[in-house]
């Protein structure tokens, strides 16, 4: 099966590079979640061989809003690389993406290596800073439709991220208002409580996942906690902002 894994990884990597969608793979050749993570790892290796650097991880489907929107109900995770970072307040070139969507998130910057499963009480001590953020997701599958296995293989639709101002306010993240605006209009509203009841739980989950996979996430890594609301489709010219009460705003212009 491993040559099949490599060819799926190559097809997904090419789809992302060329910004051309591909059909789902699990329909023709079913594969397990474990295999999906192996395919994901192979596709990230391809990126790293081209010189991209891992800068952290993201969690997906940590909120009900996202599970309902995409019809998937398990927490998933994927890698972030330096190439995915878009400038806060800057222009995002939409041609790089296939059918991008934006979703409001919280981003953590880790203070120490995450090398074991953490409790909720410990997790706060592993955070250097926290920021409002926008994830730009872009499924490599046609019509942005996928099974759980397909989306995991596709690095959980990771494509871009915009990180807003860093803040040391890591103690009171439980229930902060979240507002995403598109062209000044309120498009999505929610609360950080939508993220697993408390966004720090994303960090706890991340530490458990990393421990089971034997991966150490080095200090200074980013952890995207998952969207607090459903995602919004992006169109050329859109100005998108995500405000998290008490933390500030991340924003970009879709060029
Ligand atoms: C999968 C990624 C989900 C989140 O924040 O829940 C995700 C997708 O919706 O394409 O990033
Ligand atoms: Mg997300």
């Amino acid at each position: 099966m491993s040559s099949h894994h490599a060819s799926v990884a190559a097809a997904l990597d090419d789809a992302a590079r060329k910004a051309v969608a591909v059909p789902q793979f699990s329909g023709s050749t079913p594969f397990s979640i474990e295999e999906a993570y192996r395919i994901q790892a192979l596709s990230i290796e391809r990126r790293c061989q081209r010189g991209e650097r891992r800068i952290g991880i993201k969690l997906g489907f940590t909120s009900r809003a996202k599970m309902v929107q995409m019809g998937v109900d398990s927490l998933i995770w994927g890698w972030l690389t330096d190439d995915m970072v878009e400038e806060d307040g800057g222009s995002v070139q939409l041609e790089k993406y296939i059918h991008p969507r934006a979703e409001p998130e919280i981003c953590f910057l880790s203070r120490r290596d995450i090398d074991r499963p953490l409790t909720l009480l410990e997790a706060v001590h592993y955070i250097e800073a926290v920021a409002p953020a926008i994830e730009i997701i872009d499924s490599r599958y046609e019509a942005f439709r996928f099974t759980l296995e397909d989306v995991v293989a596709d690095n959980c639709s990771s494509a871009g991220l915009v990180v807003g101002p860093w803040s040391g306010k890591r103690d009171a993240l439980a229930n902060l208002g979240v507002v995403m605006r598109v062209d000044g209009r309120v498009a999505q509203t929610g609360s950080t409580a939508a993220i697993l009841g408390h966004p720090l739980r994303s960090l706890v989950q991340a530490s458990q996942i990393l421990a089971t996979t034997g991966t150490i996430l080095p200090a200074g890594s980013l952890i995207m906690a998952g969207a607090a609301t459903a995602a919004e489709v992006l169109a050329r010219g859109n100005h998108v902002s995500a405000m998290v009460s008490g933390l500030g705003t991340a924003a970009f212009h879709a060029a």
Side-chain angles (χ1 to χ4, degrees), residues 58-62 66 103-105 135-137 156 224-227:
K58 65 163 275 179
L59 297 187
F61 302 128
T62 50
K66 280 290 301 184
E103 51 192 28
E105 303 214 4
E135 183 175 24
I136 300 171
I137 49 170
C156 305
M224 293 283 281

Side-chain angles (χ1 to χ4, degrees), residues 40-58:
Q40 182 193 107
L42 291 170
S43 83
I44 296 303
E45 263 166 44
R46 292 175 66 94
R47 283 175 175 265
C48 293
Q49 271 155 19
R50 287 196 299 273
E52 288 182 45
R53 212 166 40 80
R54 288 177 173 85
I55 57 164
I57 63 170
K58 65 163 275 179

Side-chain angles (χ1 to χ4, degrees), residues 7 46 52 75 141 191:
S7 72
R46 292 175 66 94
E52 288 182 45
L75 190 147
Y141 300 115
S191 158

Side-chain angles (χ1 to χ4, degrees), residues 61-82:
F61 302 128
T62 50
S63 69
R64 277 216 64 71
K66 280 290 301 184
M67 292 187 209
V68 169
Q69 183 178 34
M70 303 315 295
V72 172
D73 62 3
S74 294
L75 190 147
I76 57 177
W77 72 283
W79 286 100
L80 303 171
T81 72
D82 56 348

